[in-house]
Amino acid sequence: MSKLFLGLDCSTQSLTGMVINYEANEIVCEEVIDYDNDLPKYGTKNGIIINENPTIVHCNPLMWIDALELLFERLKNKYGFLKKIKAISGSGQQHGTVYLNADYDYTLRNLDTNISISDQLKNCLTRESSPIWMDSSTSPQCEQIRKTLGGRDKTIKITGSNTFERFSGPQIRKFYQQNPRLYNKTSKIHLVSSFMASILSGKNAPIDHGDGAGMNLMNINSKDWDERAIRATAPDLESKLPPLVRSNTIIGTISPHFVEKYSFSPETIIIAWSGDNPNSLIGVGLRKTGDFAISLGTSDTYFGVLQEPYLDFQEQAHIFGSPMGNYMCLICYKNGSLAREKIRETFDLTWKEFSSILRQTPAGNYGKIMLPYFFPEIVPLVLKPNVYRFGFDKEDRLGNVRGIIEAQFLSMRIHSKWIKEPPKTIHATGGAAANRDILQIAADIFQTPIIKYKYPNSAALGAALRAAKSYYDENVRFIPWKNFGIELIETQKMEIIRPNPKNKELYDNMATLYKKYENYVLKKENNPESFRKLFINTYF
Ligand code: XUL
């Protein structure tokens, strides 16, 4: 009987399940639950609860549980092979936190199969909604924690990142300060990843080193909770945090609820979940230093493998644990797919028309520069959304379409400079990575070949591969990560998009120009208009 492995990805807008047959190097099926369309009772837009204040972005964690049950229902009805699944792991949008009372663990262990899990757990939440990675409402808490830890450089040294508004520590501190009574009633604080792992395994689950690093609470060197960071965040916090574990840890078997309701085998093992970016690192086959990926989803991220946690004190960068046991570096943008969508919708374009404009317009966009902060931005830090245009206006259809894409990759190129290793190739993943014309611009701006894949969801694939690896390591034989999953990933490669060397010099200059505009807008430095004119005279 073939052995199947399931990878789940609980992301901002949807929950995906991907089943693989590792021995046959095959992706067997993929099923997606879209929160807005499939679970309308939660009234989300793009997966989130709408708030008048753009810095506050929350989700209802019960929606993620309903999505899981709906996904299993569909998989069971459509394919009926859930019994053959040997192991499951998962991926969660990073940083989001779920707050639970003392009844949670008991309720989970004693679920009634006739009632939905969300109904049984709704009284276990001490915070109705969960702040997610798009939330940027915790600047005061970031400052307080950073100060207590001895400033920015100290904070980075300890936790692998400066304090960030979306990170779990500042979010927990805000809850503690605004609702001390409910904070005190909270007995467990989970990440999205460990929360979903606990639902699946029917008991409180640990946090892995990949996702734990995105909290400003884990010591990046020892990979334990850091006492100083915990004290700086909120009282009695350590007792509320799940333990930290290596990402390959088998945390138990599947909860009897899923065995009874969806016919899983009771022997199905559950592997610790991780964050979506650490899972994607596995899913696109990054295995050694110098391997990099861009993930173009609701967030745009740029990340790569590191052997040691070397730290940067300048930029908005992070060091996380990688599921292979070493490290990964990452930068993250909030103005990813939702910003691209805004432009597409404004001009009422199909993606085909959007792409055709990218092909029609020249590299350098006639010197039109956009700083696309449709939403508060993480890199560079922008709390008040605003879109800045230089040399064009918001009616200029061609200028805006090319402007947003060039802006996103120029910023990524500039803000990833601190990573000493320049990319040799970049693996592309996420929804927008299906668009060849977007990737061509990325290849030209980075002057690096970009690998395009057939599947967009490398986080779910990474989770499925992690599930398979822990299963084989435990039951068959240990296979090092160096080779693990690579053959399967190879079957999914579609194309290598080569950079056009003719655009090298232009984009070198445009990156410098772009940086000047960032400094002009955000740091009040000199207006670089004369440089922009020179750029136009040189290339157009
Ligand atoms: C990474 C980050 C985002 C989320 C998206 O630090 O905040 O990429 O993980 O789900």
Side-chain angles (χ1 to χ4, degrees):
M1 189 164 94
S2 49
K3 297 186 181 78
L4 302 181
F5 300 93
L6 172 62
L8 296 160
D9 174 32
C10 182
S11 71
T12 316
Q13 304 196 46
S14 56
L15 178 87
T16 299
M18 185 185 279
V19 177
I20 63 165
N21 180 337
Y22 176 74
E23 287 169 27
N25 288 321
E26 189 193 350
I27 294 177
V28 177
C29 69
E30 189 189 39
E31 204 55 42
V32 182
I33 304 299
D34 176 279
Y35 307 138
D36 291 2
N37 295 320
D38 291 319
L39 295 166
K41 79 169 191 197
Y42 289 98
T44 54
K45 175 140 198 310
N46 300 317
I48 59 182
I49 301 169
I50 299 150
N51 195 304
E52 277 169 18
N53 178 344
T55 67
I56 296 180
V57 185
H58 283 219
C59 269
N60 186 338
L62 301 176
M63 176 179 79
W64 300 324
I65 307 178
D66 280 351
L68 186 70
E69 293 227 72
L70 187 57
L71 179 85
F72 286 166
E73 186 77 42
R74 282 201 194 157
L75 286 173
K76 182 182 160 196
N77 293 340
K78 235 167 141 173
Y79 307 100
F81 51 46
L82 297 184
K83 247 199 175 58
K84 290 191 194 167
I85 291 173
K86 295 285 175 202
I88 307 176
S89 189
S91 143
Q93 46 174 303
Q94 296 197 254
H95 319 294
T97 35
V98 185
Y99 300 75
L100 299 144
N101 64 23
D103 295 338
Y104 177 61
D105 197 72
Y106 178 85
T107 314
L108 261 187
R109 288 175 195 267
N110 295 282
L111 289 174
D112 177 343
T113 312
N114 298 313
I115 309 173
S116 76
I117 304 179
S118 58
D119 268 346
Q120 295 175 76
L121 290 182
K122 62 175 186 259
N123 294 329
C124 298
L125 291 172
T126 53
R127 192 177 190 176
E128 263 181 22
S129 59
S130 292
I132 64 157
W133 68 275
M134 295 170 91
D135 190 287
S136 49
S137 65
T138 64
S139 299
Q141 289 77 18
C142 283
E143 207 177 316
Q144 291 154 11
I145 296 172
R146 188 167 56 238
K147 238 177 150 180
T148 313
L149 289 180
R152 184 193 65 181
D153 292 5
K154 262 286 194 50
T155 306
I156 297 176
K157 249 191 182 145
I158 294 171
T159 72
S161 298
N162 192 4
T163 48
F164 278 84
E165 278 72 6
R166 70 191 192 286
F167 273 37
S168 322
Q171 292 290 348
I172 293 170
R173 182 165 178 77
K174 179 179 159 192
F175 183 54
Y176 153 68
Q177 288 179 335
Q178 295 191 340
N179 282 296
R181 191 182 61 82
L182 293 177
Y183 174 79
N184 287 332
K185 277 187 137 181
T186 304
S187 74
K188 209 45 91 195
I189 302 176
H190 275 295
L191 290 181
V192 178
S193 58
S194 60
F195 174 65
M196 295 301 279
S198 71
I199 301 291
L200 210 51
S201 57
K203 59 179 195 232
N204 272 310
I207 290 179
D208 88 307
H209 296 147
D211 223 11
M215 300 175 78
N216 283 136
L217 291 170
M218 186 184 100
N219 186 299
I220 197 65
N221 292 296
S222 69
K223 296 183 178 168
D224 292 322
W225 296 124
D226 187 274
E227 249 178 62
R228 292 159 294 181
I230 286 192
R231 253 185 283 121
T233 301
D236 297 324
L237 179 54
E238 185 143 21
S239 66
K240 302 180 199 294
L241 293 173
L244 284 160
V245 295
R246 293 170 64 95
S247 315
N248 61 358
T249 306
I250 297 172
I251 61 174
T253 50
I254 194 164
S255 158
H257 174 88
F258 299 109
V259 174
E260 233 173 275
K261 211 163 163 188
Y262 306 103
S263 317
F264 280 96
S265 153
E267 280 153 29
T268 313
I269 54 170
I270 310 297
I271 318 310
W273 284 40
S274 188
D276 47 6
N277 292 292
N279 276 292
S280 276
L281 178 124
I282 297 298
V284 290
L286 306 197
R287 297 291 184 267
K288 53 182 195 317
T289 318
D291 288 348
F292 284 92
I294 47 176
S295 169
L296 307 176
T298 311
S299 66
D300 281 356
T301 55
Y302 176 90
F303 55 85
V305 180
L306 291 180
Q307 295 315 325
E308 292 302 325
Y310 73 72
L311 300 163
D312 162 75
F313 296 109
Q314 305 302 321
E315 304 283 349
Q316 312 282 334
H318 314 300
I319 305 290
F320 296 154
S322 118
M324 295 183 287
N326 46 13
Y327 292 93
M328 64 185 286
C329 52
L330 178 136
I331 54 172
C332 174
Y333 293 84
K334 215 184 281 187
N335 286 278
S337 71
L338 299 183
R340 288 184 285 273
E341 283 283 353
K342 284 247 183 221
I343 296 286
R344 190 183 67 81
E345 277 165 16
T346 305
F347 296 104
D348 203 12
L349 298 168
T350 61
W351 279 115
K352 226 172 154 193
E353 290 161 341
F354 190 98
S355 282
S356 123
I357 293 177
L358 294 180
R359 287 195 300 276
Q360 273 168 45
T361 45
N365 206 14
Y366 302 107
K368 297 170 187 175
I369 301 261
M370 181 194 284
L371 303 191
Y373 312 132
F374 290 90
F375 307 93
E377 187 49 276
I378 301 164
V379 184
L381 181 65
V382 177
L383 293 172
K384 259 203 185 144
N386 195 4
V387 179
Y388 301 86
R389 293 174 178 85
F390 300 94
F392 70 124
D393 61 24
K394 58 181 195 195
E395 315 296 330
D396 177 347
R397 196 164 50 98
L398 306 193
N400 276 281
V401 168
R402 190 162 191 104
I404 177 85
I405 302 300
E406 287 193 336
Q408 290 176 326
F409 293 113
L410 285 168
S411 174
M412 224 179 240
R413 170 178 157 162
I414 294 164
H415 293 284
S416 59
K417 263 266 165 325
W418 65 277
I419 303 166
K420 290 174 200 125
E421 204 75 34
K424 293 185 197 76
T425 46
I426 296 176
H427 303 249
T429 177
N435 185 317
R436 197 195 182 282
D437 300 294
I438 292 181
L439 296 188
Q440 183 64 60
I441 294 177
D444 286 356
I445 288 180
F446 278 97
Q447 282 295 304
T448 304
I450 302 230
I451 303 176
K452 183 173 185 291
Y453 289 93
K454 285 185 210 152
Y455 61 88
N457 198 325
S458 56
L461 177 59
L465 286 171
R466 293 199 305 107
K469 178 157 165 46
S470 288
Y471 175 87
Y472 285 108
D473 285 355
E474 181 73 13
N475 295 294
V476 185
R477 74 188 160 92
F478 178 82
I479 314 170
W481 267 121
K482 195 165 116 233
N483 310 319
F484 200 90
I486 296 300
E487 269 182 66
L488 195 160
I489 292 166
E490 282 291 325
T491 67
Q492 298 300 311
K493 276 188 185 163
M494 251 180 108
E495 189 187 351
I496 299 180
I497 298 169
R498 311 241 167 236
N500 181 349
K502 282 197 198 129
N503 292 331
K504 179 181 181 319
E505 189 203 89
L506 178 147
Y507 278 128
D508 285 350
N509 286 327
M510 199 175 187
T512 309
L513 184 62
Y514 192 88
K515 181 78 194 132
K516 284 187 195 294
Y517 273 100
E518 273 191 4
N519 290 346
Y520 169 55
V521 167
L522 304 172
K523 295 188 182 158
K524 308 277 171 273
E525 288 187 4
N526 290 340
N527 187 339
E529 185 60 13
S530 57
F531 291 93
R532 202 176 67 80
K533 290 264 154 65
L534 186 67
F535 178 81
I536 296 171
N537 288 340
T538 313
Y539 296 106
F540 300 99

